[in-house]
Amino acid sequence: MIAMQILHSSLRPIWCSAPHTSLKPRRNLPLNFPLSSSLSRHNFLSTSSRFPPYVLFASPESQLDMEVSTETSKWAMQDFYTLRRDVEATSERAEEIRASAGLQQLEEELADLEMKAADSSFWDDRAKAQETLLALTDVKDKIKLLTDFKMQVEDAETIVKLTEEIDSIDTGLLEEAANIIKELNKALDRFELTQLLSGPYDKEGAVISITAGAGGTDAQVQDWADMLLRMYVRWGEKQQYKTRVVEKSMGEEAGIKSATIEIEGRYAYGYLSGEKGTHRIVRQSPFNSKGLRQTSFTGVEVMPLLPEESMDVEIPEEDLEISFSRAGGSGGQNVNKVETAVRITHIPTGVAVRCTEERSQLANKIKALSRLKAKLLVIAEEQRASEIKQIRGDSVKAEWGQQIRNYVFHPYKLVKDTRTGYETSDITSVMDGELEPFIKAYLKFKYSMTLSKQN
C-alpha cells in the first residue's frame, strides 16, 4: 500500500496500447522513489505486478517529449497555413502575368511565323529569314515560360490539397512546395523585368569595361576596380550566364588598372545597361597607414555583345585612328614582345576602344572594331540617330559619364543609386553580386522616364 500511495502521489500514468503482460522482477531494477525499510524489493514488485498493464512508470523526459512533439506539430501547422497563403498569392500573380502577356495572341503569332518558315521561298531573302527565325524562337521561348509558370503553380497546389486530404503534415512535401514557390517568384520577377526591356539590343549579351579612375593612391583606386570586377563576375555566375574575364591589366601594387568582361546570355545587356557610369566608394583605406577615410572612383562602360553578321555598319577608314602597342601581363610568346594590343578611336566622336586579349594583332583589331561598332550603335540609339555619321561628337561624354552609385563602407554601410534613390545597407550582398534590386529599380525608372517623354 505504501508503494501504491507513493506511485499515485508522485507519478503520472501514461496510457498506451501494449498487450497484457505482467512485470517480472529483475535483480538490479532501479526505482525512482524511496521504499519503506519494512518492504522488500521482491514484495514491492509482486505488488506492482497487480497494476493494470497500461500503467507504466512516467518520467519527466517522457512528458517533455510529448510537449515538444505537440509544439512541433503546432509550428508545422502554422508553416502549412503560411505556405497555403503563399501558393494562393503566387497563383494569382502568375495568372495576371499570363493574361497581360497575351498568351492567345502569342500562339496566333507562333502559327503565323511557322507558316512563313515553311514557305518554299523562305530563304530567298537570307537576312529576312534570319530575322523571322529569331522572332520565332522568341515567341516559342515566351510561350514555354508562361506554360511553365502554370505547371509550377499546379505542382504546389497539388501538394497543398494532398496535405489537406490526408490531414497530416509531411515536412518534406512542404519544403518541396516552398522551394517551388520561391523559385517561381524569382522567375516571375525576371519575366516582369524583361517586359520593361524594349531596346533593339536588350536581348543580347554584354561587354563590361572597368577602368580605375581617380581618388586616393593608385593602389586604393585599383583595388576598388578589382572589387567591381568581382561583383559583376559574381552577378553573371548567379544568373547562370557564361561569364569570361577576357582582359585584365594588373595594378602595380594591388588590384587592376582595367578589365573587360564578356557575359553571354539572353537579356544580359538589357539588365546591365544601367550600370554604365561612375561608381564611387567611401571607406577606410587599407592602403593608408593612418586609416583615414578616402573616396575613389571607377568607371564602368557597358556595350552589347553583338555578332559580326548582325552589325550592318560601315565606318569610313578616314574616321578611324588605329594604334598598336605591346600587351601587358602573362600570355603567349607574342605578349610583351610584339605589338599585339590594338586601340581604335572614332575621330568624329572621340569614342575609343582597346583590345588586348587575343594573341595576334589582326584578331585584336577585328574584335576592337566590332566593339567600336557596338558602342557607336548604342550611342546612335540614345541620340535617336539613324546613322553613325549623325552622332553628335560634342554630346558624347568624356570618361565614364555621370556618377550613378555610391558605396559607403565607413562610417556607416550604405549603397545608394543616385538616379533612382534605391538604397540598401546590405553592402556585403551587393559586392557579392546581388544587383537585382538595383537593376529592377533602374529599369522601372527608365520606363517611367520614357513614358513621361512620350506624354
Side-chain angles (χ1 to χ4, degrees):
M1 291 300 293
I2 297 173
M4 290 188 67
Q5 289 174 1
I6 296 172
L7 179 66
H8 283 290
S9 63
S10 61
L11 299 176
R12 288 172 54 191
I14 296 177
W15 301 83
C16 62
S17 57
H20 182 82
T21 54
S22 59
L23 296 172
K24 295 181 181 180
R26 291 186 182 179
R27 185 173 297 274
N28 295 317
L29 185 68
L31 298 175
N32 294 329
F33 50 82
L35 294 175
S36 170
S37 57
S38 62
L39 185 63
S40 68
R41 178 174 298 186
H42 176 74
N43 289 338
F44 166 69
L45 290 170
S46 298
T47 304
S48 64
S49 67
R50 294 194 297 271
F51 289 143
Y54 43 75
V55 177
L56 302 178
F57 293 107
S59 66
E61 289 80 4
S62 63
Q63 295 178 39
L64 181 61
D65 289 342
M66 288 183 66
E67 292 172 1
V68 169
S69 178
T70 304
E71 190 68 21
T72 303
S73 178
K74 288 179 180 178
W75 279 109
M77 287 303 295
Q78 289 180 11
D79 288 343
F80 170 71
Y81 293 139
T82 302
L83 174 64
R84 186 167 64 181
R85 287 194 299 271
D86 290 344
V87 170
E88 291 171 355
T90 306
S91 176
E92 291 177 5
R93 184 186 178 198
E95 282 304 312
E96 288 175 1
I97 287 176
R98 280 166 53 85
S100 64
L103 187 57
Q104 184 177 350
Q105 185 180 351
L106 286 170
E107 289 171 347
E108 292 173 359
E109 188 179 346
L110 176 64
D112 182 53
L113 289 169
E114 286 177 338
M115 190 180 297
K116 288 181 180 178
D119 194 284
S120 57
S121 61
F122 178 68
W123 289 103
D124 290 351
D125 188 339
R126 199 169 189 82
K128 191 173 181 180
Q130 289 285 358
E131 187 179 333
T132 303
L133 288 177
L134 285 173
L136 182 62
T137 303
D138 286 345
V139 173
K140 281 184 176 179
D141 289 347
K142 188 172 283 188
I143 291 174
K144 182 181 181 302
L145 197 58
L146 293 170
T147 305
D148 287 346
F149 291 162
K150 185 178 181 181
M151 291 175 61
Q152 290 178 59
V153 166
E154 288 174 350
D155 288 345
E157 288 176 339
T158 300
I159 293 174
V160 170
K161 290 177 182 176
L162 182 63
T163 303
E164 290 175 335
E165 288 173 2
I166 63 178
D167 197 24
S168 68
I169 302 296
D170 186 328
T171 55
L173 280 176
L174 292 186
E175 186 175 349
E176 181 182 349
N179 286 334
I180 290 173
I181 294 301
K182 181 181 177 182
E183 293 303 316
L184 177 56
N185 275 309
K186 287 182 180 179
L188 293 173
D189 286 341
R190 285 194 295 270
F191 185 82
E192 287 180 334
L193 280 182
T194 60
Q195 299 303 99
L196 300 175
L197 300 173
S198 57
Y201 313 112
D202 285 345
K203 295 178 182 178
E204 306 295 341
V207 179
I208 304 175
S209 297
I210 301 170
T211 308
T217 63
D218 288 344
Q220 178 181 325
V221 178
Q222 291 162 8
D223 181 57
W224 173 225
D226 198 20
M227 290 167 67
L228 288 176
L229 171 64
R230 180 187 180 278
M231 181 181 78
Y232 289 119
V233 169
R234 290 288 295 135
W235 179 85
E237 291 171 348
K238 288 182 178 182
Q239 304 304 311
Q240 297 182 346
Y241 288 155
K242 183 180 178 181
T243 306
R244 295 188 305 133
V245 179
V246 295
E247 184 267 332
K248 183 160 61 171
S249 176
M250 302 302 296
E252 282 117 17
E253 296 180 44
I256 59 171
K257 294 177 181 177
S258 63
T260 304
I261 316 166
E262 285 187 359
I263 300 180
E264 297 180 31
R266 199 159 184 76
Y267 292 107
Y269 175 71
Y271 292 143
L272 291 170
S273 58
E275 295 298 303
K276 176 184 176 182
T278 303
H279 296 245
R280 170 178 174 260
I281 184 176
V282 180
R283 62 172 174 171
Q284 277 184 313
S285 174
F287 304 98
N288 187 301
S289 58
K290 296 181 180 179
L292 298 176
R293 191 176 76 160
Q294 292 185 322
T295 302
S296 300
F297 301 88
T298 289
V300 173
E301 195 165 25
V302 186
M303 297 171 284
L305 183 61
L306 300 174
E308 184 63 36
E309 59 272 13
S310 69
M311 292 186 289
D312 187 17
V313 178
E314 291 296 330
I315 303 177
E317 285 288 335
E318 58 269 20
D319 287 349
L320 299 178
E321 181 183 316
I322 304 175
S323 59
F324 306 98
S325 61
R326 296 182 183 183
S330 58
Q333 294 179 351
N334 291 339
V335 175
N336 292 317
K337 296 180 181 178
V338 181
E339 292 184 338
T340 56
V342 178
R343 177 184 175 88
I344 303 180
T345 303
H346 185 241
I347 298 171
T349 61
V351 174
V353 294
R354 185 172 183 266
C355 186
T356 63
E357 60 259 31
E358 301 297 336
R359 296 195 174 190
S360 71
Q361 188 184 96
L362 179 61
N364 277 326
K365 182 180 177 181
I366 293 171
K367 184 163 278 191
L369 188 59
S370 177
R371 287 180 185 167
L372 178 64
K373 288 179 180 180
K375 198 169 182 179
L376 292 173
L377 284 171
V378 171
I379 296 171
E381 183 208 347
E382 291 173 351
Q383 297 184 4
R384 297 184 179 180
S386 59
E387 297 180 10
I388 295 296
K389 63 183 180 181
Q390 293 179 346
I391 298 176
R392 301 184 305 277
D394 55 348
S395 66
V396 178
K397 294 185 178 179
E399 298 181 355
W400 316 294
Q402 63 174 341
Q403 183 177 308
I404 66 161
R405 194 174 300 150
N406 294 320
Y407 305 74
V408 182
F409 285 77
H410 182 80
Y412 52 87
K413 296 186 183 300
L414 182 71
V415 183
K416 182 172 182 177
D417 194 295
T418 59
R419 303 159 299 180
T420 64
Y422 181 83
E423 61 182 47
T424 178
S425 59
D426 190 4
I427 197 167
T428 303
S429 296
V430 173
M431 298 312 300
D432 195 42
E434 292 293 337
L435 298 174
E436 293 302 306
F438 288 96
I439 291 172
K440 188 173 184 178
Y442 174 74
L443 290 177
K444 287 184 175 180
F445 166 77
K446 182 181 176 182
Y447 183 73
S448 63
M449 291 294 288
T450 303
L451 288 179
S452 63
K453 286 179 180 179
Q454 290 175 352
N455 293 333

